[in-house]
Amino acid sequence: MSTSEQKFIDLMKQITAYSEAIALIHWDLRTHAPKKGMDQRSETISLLSEKVTELQRSDLMKQLITELKTSNISPIIEKSVQECERIYNKQKNIPTEEVVEFIRLSSKSETAWQEAREKRDFSILAPYLEKLVEMNKKFAQYQGYTENLYDGLLNDFEPGLTTEILDRVFNQLKPVLIKLVKQINNANVTVDASLLQKPFPKQAQEAFSLAVLDKMGYDFDAGRLDETIHPFAIGINPNDVRVTTRYDENDFRTAVFGTIHEGGHALYEQNIDPDLHQTVLAKGASMGIHESQSLFWENFIGRSRSFWESHFKLFKEHAPDSFQSVDFDEFFKAINEVKPSMIRIEADELTYSLHIIIRYELEKELINGDLKVKDLPKAWNDKMEAYLGIRPENDLEGVLQDIHWAAGDIGYFPTYALGYMYAAQIFNAIEKDISMDQMIRLGDFEPIKAWLTEKIHRHGKMKQPLELIEEVTGEGLNPDYLIKYLTNKYTDIYQL
Amino acid sequence: MSTSEQKFIDLMKQITAYSEAIALIHWDLRTHAPKKGMDQRSETISLLSEKVTELQRSDLMKQLITELKTSNISPIIEKSVQECERIYNKQKNIPTEEVVEFIRLSSKSETAWQEAREKRDFSILAPYLEKLVEMNKKFAQYQGYTENLYDGLLNDFEPGLTTEILDRVFNQLKPVLIKLVKQINNANVTVDASLLQKPFPKQAQEAFSLAVLDKMGYDFDAGRLDETIHPFAIGINPNDVRVTTRYDENDFRTAVFGTIHEGGHALYEQNIDPDLHQTVLAKGASMGIHESQSLFWENFIGRSRSFWESHFKLFKEHAPDSFQSVDFDEFFKAINEVKPSMIRIEADELTYSLHIIIRYELEKELINGDLKVKDLPKAWNDKMEAYLGIRPENDLEGVLQDIHWAAGDIGYFPTYALGYMYAAQIFNAIEKDISMDQMIRLGDFEPIKAWLTEKIHRHGKMKQPLELIEEVTGEGLNPDYLIKYLTNKYTDIYQL
């Protein structure tokens, strides 16, 4: 191995080490940390984050990238160099003072967002959001985007993704979803989820959640399950990938489907090839691919009829007496209730993508078009009414519900909907090799986990998201599989 | 504020931030971390520790120390500069390659210690220990010690402490303890702790432990209680000082007295003056002073008759039925049973210091005298027999029981006994201001905590340990108070 190669590996190890400390601090802050300790902790996060950035944009990094690009190196080093170069170029192009300004502004904006929510008054957030939109445009320009600035933002969250692709797939998806929602609203079948909303002690929910994680193949020697307020999965290192969940004692769905969802994320990072550990590739390929793994498990497996055929008995073993008389069919329908909601994070799998499409259309117009920040609330409400048939009564259940824009993240939302489309497409691909319905009905997830590991998980960031999808499924992003899946499932449940 | 002062403050903030991340990782490794993640985590610890050392011995540090020593600076900066200079000089004097060699050797030695324990064969550890003894001697020489090298090691763990002081106080303490143990062995009164060794569910122990911590004034908004194998308290920052404990379901004493002990450590760090936060002074004055705070609470309060007069009811509320008929006097005697034990960490408060004196005498002879490592086991066993009247049957219950020497820590043990003497001396001082017996019997610890904060806790490392003891108690280290306390207490319990 050349000296440059060794130096580059050491540099990645250092970045990995700082990132590992940062990840542990984040996990701790959101699970265990006592509140008074948080102020000083955030200074520690800042320092460690600065160190990561320093290394990423260091002269040594630049030099090693230059040297290694023309050397004879292994595929792992080659891809690592590409990833480091991508980050280097991105950071190099943005003046440091503007990065600092952006962080400062985002922080203030988040505070304003909190206040705006309390007072249900979007105008408190608006001036910050205007500046954040302008800075985001500028950042895209620094990356060399001139015409379609929003493409620059998309590319940051999902390398290779463009408005051209999103317009195409969303234009296919949107009318189908709108039509299905309308049909369901007019259907004769009523689905009633209230039968699920009965007291279910936290400890019993936890025991069932742990049992399901275990069946999924989650490795408890390389992770753990904790309680939190806003659930997440976090890879502290690939042998320590933690899942968190929230227990609502009057609605077990929050914890159970939340745990399966986060468990899907965690399986991804637990099964990255050890050869990639301590490189910049030991992460999921992209936000969208990551989300495909969580949704694959949560919805395509976890909300399927066959899953509950194999797990209903286990569920009842953990559930209180009041659930013992619940009928299987009623239960299955209830966990798949479609009910247009004002709030994205409470949405069912059918309407969820419509929430995302609304945000996509709005943020694209903010960046590339003529939409003004001040006009956002009305534009939001109009789209909600047009697509979901409901209109928010105030901004709290409208444009103020998500923190993303207030935090400066524009171009992030689409990855959620991508996750759905990728997941459906992957499910279709896996069915060519494995009889999914049968395996899920048997509760035998080992072959499924092995397939996902072989085709997706082990590769980490070795492949770009769209390249990975093409390889795994034999075609590019195609919304038809999601359309087919949702149409079949809900036509059946609601007898459309 | 001068530029140098600002730079120095920033440097300390950086050191604090790295140390904070390291502390959180240590806490996590010993409470929550899944086992497979530990390998990579230890690389992260190494990197962060290296960064701390780099800053401590950096040219910038040297320059700032030089500049600030001759400047007009605040007392906090002045003491901080002194502490940084102490660390700088210590590190500067030891060649880097020897530090690396020492770390490598200690690590191998710990592994050998494990193996030696399994095979009950000291000779497996001996060669490593010989080298560690030699390196420790060399390190003391680097610090400028020529005659009394052991003083150099002592000074590292307890600044200002010398063999002269220890010889004097241990020579006073030792005969009294030996005599008391003999008297108790021959006493007519028998104390039976087996009445405490009854099943006591973990959750109930935890609830009682939490209640006691709360009464002590431990701030749960700036800390938490977790389960571990080898309990400890750790200050991640002064507003996040965590306590851990171990639950033995057949002996509640482990958890309850362990929690009070660690709670005493934690109160110290929670109550350091905010002006010292993020400086190198935001820690306890020394190992010995720290231990005095844990022992003060564990023994001088927690094992006192008056404490249980105010807490016996609370105890019974948490204890299972089998404890309800236990008589108060029997209970009080049982928690103060004296029973010479082979194992230091299982020792009672009377015999504990004898275990320490044995180790002190042996390690002093290893460094300053003619004792050879190969002769340690016999020397150990002889002293056990002479001081405690029992002789280990193998090295596992003899010289192999503690990890300290195998980890390269020589000069550390005395701080445990110092803690006892300091605690007794502080208890005597506090009684001049507060009617301790009355306050403890009322269960009103607020004035006690306030006194300790005012006199000790808030000062952090602003004062040297012996300087602090002198200020707080009006005299230097004096073992008479411990002697008097133990004599009175055990004369009473065993009717000597």
Side-chain angles (χ1 to χ4, degrees):
Chain A
M1 191 179 290
S2 72
T3 320
S4 310
E5 218 167 329
Q6 193 54 58
K7 277 190 192 162
F8 181 68
I9 288 169
D10 287 345
L11 202 50
M12 286 199 292
K13 278 193 182 177
Q14 283 191 51
I15 292 172
T16 304
Y18 286 125
S19 306
E20 179 161 349
I22 294 167
L24 180 66
I25 293 174
H26 276 299
W27 171 83
D28 184 69
L29 282 176
R30 294 174 66 179
T31 53
H32 289 81
K35 64 180 181 188
K36 288 185 185 170
M38 292 187 176
D39 277 354
Q40 191 172 314
R41 192 69 37 81
S42 50
E43 288 195 40
T44 297
I45 291 182
S46 298
L47 176 89
L48 296 170
S49 305
E50 271 171 36
K51 295 292 162 188
V52 172
T53 312
E54 270 175 29
L55 294 176
Q56 285 170 334
R57 60 190 292 168
S58 63
D59 291 341
L60 177 62
M61 178 63 89
K62 185 183 174 185
Q63 178 202 328
L64 293 172
I65 290 170
T66 311
E67 284 170 21
L68 290 169
K69 273 173 76 175
T70 54
S71 307
N72 184 17
I73 47 177
S74 73
I76 291 174
I77 299 295
E78 189 188 341
K79 290 285 173 188
S80 297
V81 168
Q82 285 169 12
E83 174 66 7
C84 287
E85 189 177 24
R86 187 184 70 78
I87 296 167
Y88 180 86
N89 284 337
K90 186 188 154 194
Q91 297 193 333
K92 179 198 65 179
N93 289 332
I94 305 178
T96 313
E97 58 274 18
E98 290 189 34
V99 174
V100 173
E101 165 67 11
F102 185 74
I103 292 169
R104 199 188 57 79
L105 185 63
S106 308
S107 171
K108 284 191 184 174
S109 170
E110 285 182 35
T111 309
W113 174 72
Q114 292 284 7
E115 196 193 333
R117 282 168 63 85
E118 278 157 29
K119 301 194 175 151
R120 303 186 180 195
D121 180 0
F122 178 73
S123 73
I124 295 169
L125 175 65
Y128 297 94
L129 202 46
E130 277 164 16
K131 283 184 201 154
L132 286 168
V133 166
E134 287 315 306
M135 291 199 81
N136 264 287
K137 283 186 180 178
K138 225 166 152 188
F139 289 174
Q141 284 166 333
Y142 286 134
Q143 307 308 316
Y145 290 84
T146 50
E147 300 274 308
N148 192 328
L149 300 183
Y150 186 70
D151 271 1
L153 306 183
L154 279 180
N155 192 56
D156 230 31
F157 294 104
E158 195 75 8
L161 191 67
T162 60
T163 45
E164 191 190 334
I165 298 173
L166 279 182
D167 285 342
R168 176 174 56 78
V169 296
F170 283 163
N171 282 337
Q172 284 178 263
L173 188 57
K174 188 166 75 170
V176 179
L177 296 180
I178 293 174
K179 189 177 157 204
L180 275 171
V181 171
K182 281 197 182 135
Q183 284 181 305
I184 287 170
N185 281 341
N186 300 326
N188 290 323
V189 174
T190 53
V191 170
D192 181 13
S194 67
L195 66 98
L196 307 176
Q197 289 160 313
K198 288 183 291 195
F200 196 139
K202 188 166 117 172
Q203 281 190 311
Q205 288 190 40
E206 185 185 42
F208 181 64
S209 299
L210 287 168
V212 172
L213 271 182
D214 189 48
K215 292 203 73 174
M216 286 168 67
Y218 177 78
D219 183 352
F220 284 95
D221 286 336
R224 45 180 290 122
L225 174 65
D226 291 276
E227 192 177 351
T228 192
I229 295 170
H230 300 291
F232 60 98
I234 189 163
I236 298 171
N237 68 46
N239 283 312
D240 186 357
V241 186
R242 303 185 187 187
V243 174
T244 62
T245 197
R246 185 167 75 81
Y247 301 102
D248 178 342
E249 292 206 307
N250 291 307
D251 195 338
F252 71 87
R253 290 176 297 177
T254 302
V256 171
F257 292 107
T259 303
I260 299 174
H261 181 97
E262 303 305 339
H265 281 303
L267 281 184
Y268 194 170
E269 301 214 3
Q270 278 189 339
N271 291 294
I272 288 170
D273 189 335
D275 287 348
L276 303 181
H277 291 187
Q278 295 182 286
T279 74
V280 291
L281 307 176
K283 286 280 160 192
S286 69
M287 311 281 305
I289 300 290
H290 231 307
E291 196 67 11
S292 79
Q293 296 308 291
S294 53
L295 292 170
F296 184 92
W297 286 96
E298 179 193 356
N299 291 330
F300 292 79
I301 293 181
R303 290 187 204 267
S304 70
R305 188 183 290 273
S306 36
F307 178 84
W308 288 100
E309 281 170 359
S310 58
H311 288 78
F312 201 49
K313 187 163 164 287
L314 186 70
F315 172 79
K316 285 197 170 176
E317 281 166 19
H318 288 88
D321 290 347
S322 58
F323 283 91
Q324 301 306 323
S325 59
V326 171
D327 172 71
F328 178 79
D329 272 320
E330 295 300 311
F331 178 89
F332 171 65
K333 282 194 250 173
I335 61 166
N336 285 291
E337 181 197 40
V338 172
K339 194 175 178 182
S341 152
M342 298 296 178
I343 307 298
R344 175 183 62 85
I345 59 169
E346 292 168 6
D348 53 78
E349 66 174 340
L350 183 65
T351 55
Y352 191 93
S353 298
L354 287 173
H355 286 268
I356 296 306
I357 291 170
I358 289 171
R359 286 155 179 75
Y360 165 67
E361 292 175 351
L362 294 173
E363 63 183 19
K364 191 179 65 170
E365 278 303 297
L366 276 176
I367 300 293
N368 287 357
D370 297 326
L371 182 61
K372 297 277 171 286
V373 166
K374 71 173 170 52
D375 300 324
L376 261 182
K378 181 172 182 302
W380 179 291
N381 296 349
D382 289 348
K383 282 187 191 286
M384 280 294 287
E385 197 165 354
Y387 300 169
L388 285 156
I390 53 178
R391 191 176 183 93
E393 289 194 357
N394 56 59
D395 293 341
L396 185 60
E397 56 179 37
V399 68
L400 286 175
Q401 67 183 268
D402 293 312
I403 196 172
H404 303 59
W405 291 342
D409 289 337
I410 302 176
Y412 181 125
F413 279 123
T415 64
Y416 292 124
L418 275 183
Y420 275 91
M421 290 182 279
Y422 288 154
Q425 208 170 326
I426 291 165
F427 197 91
N428 182 264
I430 198 172
E431 279 195 308
K432 290 172 194 158
D433 297 328
I434 294 172
S435 170
M436 286 295 278
D437 192 56
Q438 192 191 342
M439 282 301 162
I440 299 170
R441 197 179 297 127
L442 289 170
D444 181 5
F445 301 124
E446 183 48 41
I448 300 170
K449 185 191 149 204
W451 193 97
L452 293 170
T453 295
E454 171 62 24
K455 305 274 186 178
I456 300 171
H457 300 172
R458 70 186 179 92
H459 303 294
K461 275 190 183 300
M462 279 293 281
K463 297 167 197 278
Q464 295 283 300
L466 293 170
E467 174 194 359
L468 183 71
I469 285 297
E470 179 102 30
E471 279 189 28
V472 172
T473 70
E475 60 182 316
L477 176 62
N478 183 346
D480 286 347
Y481 303 101
L482 179 62
I483 289 170
K484 197 171 147 199
Y485 159 80
L486 292 173
T487 305
N488 288 345
K489 181 167 177 178
Y490 290 97
T491 300
D492 174 43
I493 291 174
Y494 283 90
Q495 297 171 21
L496 304 177
Chain B
M1 191 179 290
S2 73
T3 320
S4 309
E5 217 167 329
Q6 192 53 58
K7 276 189 192 161
F8 181 67
I9 289 169
D10 287 345
L11 202 51
M12 287 199 291
K13 278 194 183 176
Q14 281 190 53
I15 292 173
T16 305
Y18 285 126
S19 306
E20 179 161 349
I22 293 168
L24 180 66
I25 293 174
H26 277 297
W27 171 82
D28 185 69
L29 283 175
R30 294 173 67 180
T31 52
H32 288 82
K35 63 180 183 192
K36 289 184 185 170
M38 291 185 177
D39 277 353
Q40 192 174 315
R41 191 70 37 83
S42 51
E43 290 196 41
T44 297
I45 291 183
S46 298
L47 175 89
L48 295 171
S49 306
E50 269 171 38
K51 294 293 162 187
V52 172
T53 312
E54 270 174 30
L55 294 177
Q56 286 171 333
R57 61 190 292 169
S58 62
D59 291 340
L60 177 62
M61 179 63 90
K62 186 183 175 186
Q63 178 202 327
L64 293 173
I65 290 170
T66 311
E67 285 171 16
L68 290 169
K69 273 172 79 177
T70 54
S71 307
N72 184 18
I73 46 177
S74 72
I76 291 174
I77 299 295
E78 189 188 340
K79 290 285 173 188
S80 297
V81 168
Q82 285 169 15
E83 175 66 8
C84 287
E85 188 176 24
R86 186 184 71 78
I87 297 166
Y88 180 86
N89 284 337
K90 186 187 154 196
Q91 296 192 335
K92 177 198 67 180
N93 288 331
I94 305 177
T96 314
E97 57 274 19
E98 290 189 34
V99 175
V100 173
E101 165 66 9
F102 185 75
I103 293 168
R104 200 189 56 79
L105 185 61
S106 307
S107 170
K108 283 191 183 171
S109 170
E110 285 182 36
T111 309
W113 174 72
Q114 292 286 6
E115 196 192 333
R117 282 168 63 84
E118 278 156 29
K119 301 192 176 151
R120 301 183 184 201
D121 181 359
F122 178 74
S123 73
I124 295 169
L125 175 65
Y128 297 95
L129 202 45
E130 278 164 15
K131 283 185 201 153
L132 286 169
V133 166
E134 288 315 308
M135 292 199 81
N136 264 287
K137 284 185 181 180
K138 224 167 154 188
F139 289 174
Q141 284 165 333
Y142 286 134
Q143 308 307 315
Y145 290 84
T146 50
E147 299 274 309
N148 192 328
L149 300 184
Y150 185 69
D151 272 1
L153 306 183
L154 278 180
N155 193 56
D156 231 31
F157 294 106
E158 195 75 9
L161 190 68
T162 61
T163 47
E164 193 190 333
I165 297 172
L166 278 181
D167 285 342
R168 175 174 59 78
V169 296
F170 283 163
N171 282 339
Q172 285 176 261
L173 188 58
K174 188 165 75 170
V176 179
L177 296 180
I178 292 174
K179 189 177 159 204
L180 276 171
V181 171
K182 279 197 183 134
Q183 284 180 303
I184 287 170
N185 282 342
N186 299 325
N188 290 324
V189 174
T190 53
V191 169
D192 180 13
S194 67
L195 67 95
L196 306 176
Q197 289 160 314
K198 288 183 291 197
F200 197 139
K202 186 165 118 174
Q203 280 191 313
Q205 289 191 39
E206 185 185 42
F208 181 63
S209 300
L210 288 168
V212 172
L213 272 182
D214 190 45
K215 292 203 74 176
M216 287 168 67
Y218 176 79
D219 182 352
F220 284 95
D221 286 336
R224 42 180 294 122
L225 174 66
D226 290 276
E227 193 177 352
T228 191
I229 295 171
H230 300 290
F232 60 99
I234 189 165
I236 299 171
N237 68 46
N239 283 313
D240 185 358
V241 186
R242 304 185 186 187
V243 174
T244 63
T245 199
R246 185 167 74 81
Y247 301 100
D248 177 343
E249 291 206 307
N250 291 308
D251 196 338
F252 72 86
R253 290 176 298 178
T254 303
V256 171
F257 292 108
T259 303
I260 300 174
H261 181 98
E262 303 306 339
H265 281 303
L267 281 185
Y268 195 171
E269 302 215 4
Q270 278 189 340
N271 291 293
I272 289 170
D273 189 334
D275 286 348
L276 304 180
H277 292 187
Q278 294 182 289
T279 74
V280 291
L281 307 175
K283 286 280 160 193
S286 70
M287 311 281 306
I289 301 290
H290 230 309
E291 196 68 9
S292 80
Q293 295 309 292
S294 53
L295 292 170
F296 184 92
W297 285 96
E298 180 192 354
N299 291 329
F300 292 78
I301 293 180
R303 290 187 206 267
S304 70
R305 189 184 290 273
S306 35
F307 178 83
W308 288 99
E309 281 170 0
S310 59
H311 289 78
F312 202 48
K313 189 165 164 282
L314 186 70
F315 173 78
K316 285 198 171 175
E317 281 166 21
H318 288 89
D321 290 346
S322 58
F323 283 91
Q324 301 306 323
S325 60
V326 171
D327 171 71
F328 178 80
D329 273 319
E330 296 299 313
F331 178 89
F332 172 65
K333 283 195 250 172
I335 60 165
N336 285 292
E337 183 196 38
V338 172
K339 196 175 179 182
S341 152
M342 299 296 179
I343 306 297
R344 176 182 62 84
I345 59 168
E346 292 168 5
D348 53 77
E349 65 174 339
L350 183 65
T351 55
Y352 191 94
S353 297
L354 287 172
H355 286 270
I356 297 306
I357 291 171
I358 290 171
R359 286 155 178 76
Y360 164 67
E361 292 175 350
L362 294 173
E363 62 182 21
K364 191 179 64 171
E365 278 303 297
L366 277 176
I367 300 294
N368 287 358
D370 295 328
L371 182 62
K372 296 278 172 285
V373 165
K374 71 173 170 49
D375 299 324
L376 261 183
K378 182 172 179 304
W380 180 291
N381 295 351
D382 289 348
K383 283 188 190 284
M384 280 295 288
E385 199 165 355
Y387 302 167
L388 284 156
I390 52 177
R391 193 177 181 90
E393 290 193 358
N394 57 58
D395 294 341
L396 185 59
E397 54 179 38
V399 68
L400 287 175
Q401 68 184 265
D402 292 311
I403 196 172
H404 304 59
W405 291 343
D409 289 336
I410 302 176
Y412 182 125
F413 278 124
T415 64
Y416 291 124
L418 275 185
Y420 275 91
M421 290 182 279
Y422 289 154
Q425 206 167 328
I426 291 165
F427 197 90
N428 181 263
I430 197 172
E431 279 195 308
K432 291 173 194 158
D433 298 327
I434 294 172
S435 170
M436 286 295 279
D437 193 55
Q438 192 191 340
M439 283 300 162
I440 299 170
R441 197 178 298 127
L442 288 171
D444 181 4
F445 301 124
E446 183 47 40
I448 300 171
K449 186 192 148 204
W451 193 98
L452 293 170
T453 295
E454 172 61 25
K455 305 273 186 178
I456 301 171
H457 300 173
R458 70 187 177 93
H459 303 293
K461 274 191 184 298
M462 278 292 282
K463 296 166 196 280
Q464 294 282 301
L466 292 170
E467 175 194 0
L468 183 71
I469 285 296
E470 180 102 30
E471 280 189 25
V472 171
T473 70
E475 61 182 317
L477 177 62
N478 184 346
D480 286 347
Y481 302 100
L482 180 62
I483 289 170
K484 197 172 147 199
Y485 160 79
L486 292 172
T487 305
N488 287 345
K489 180 168 178 177
Y490 289 97
T491 300
D492 174 43
I493 291 174
Y494 283 91
Q495 297 172 20
L496 305 178

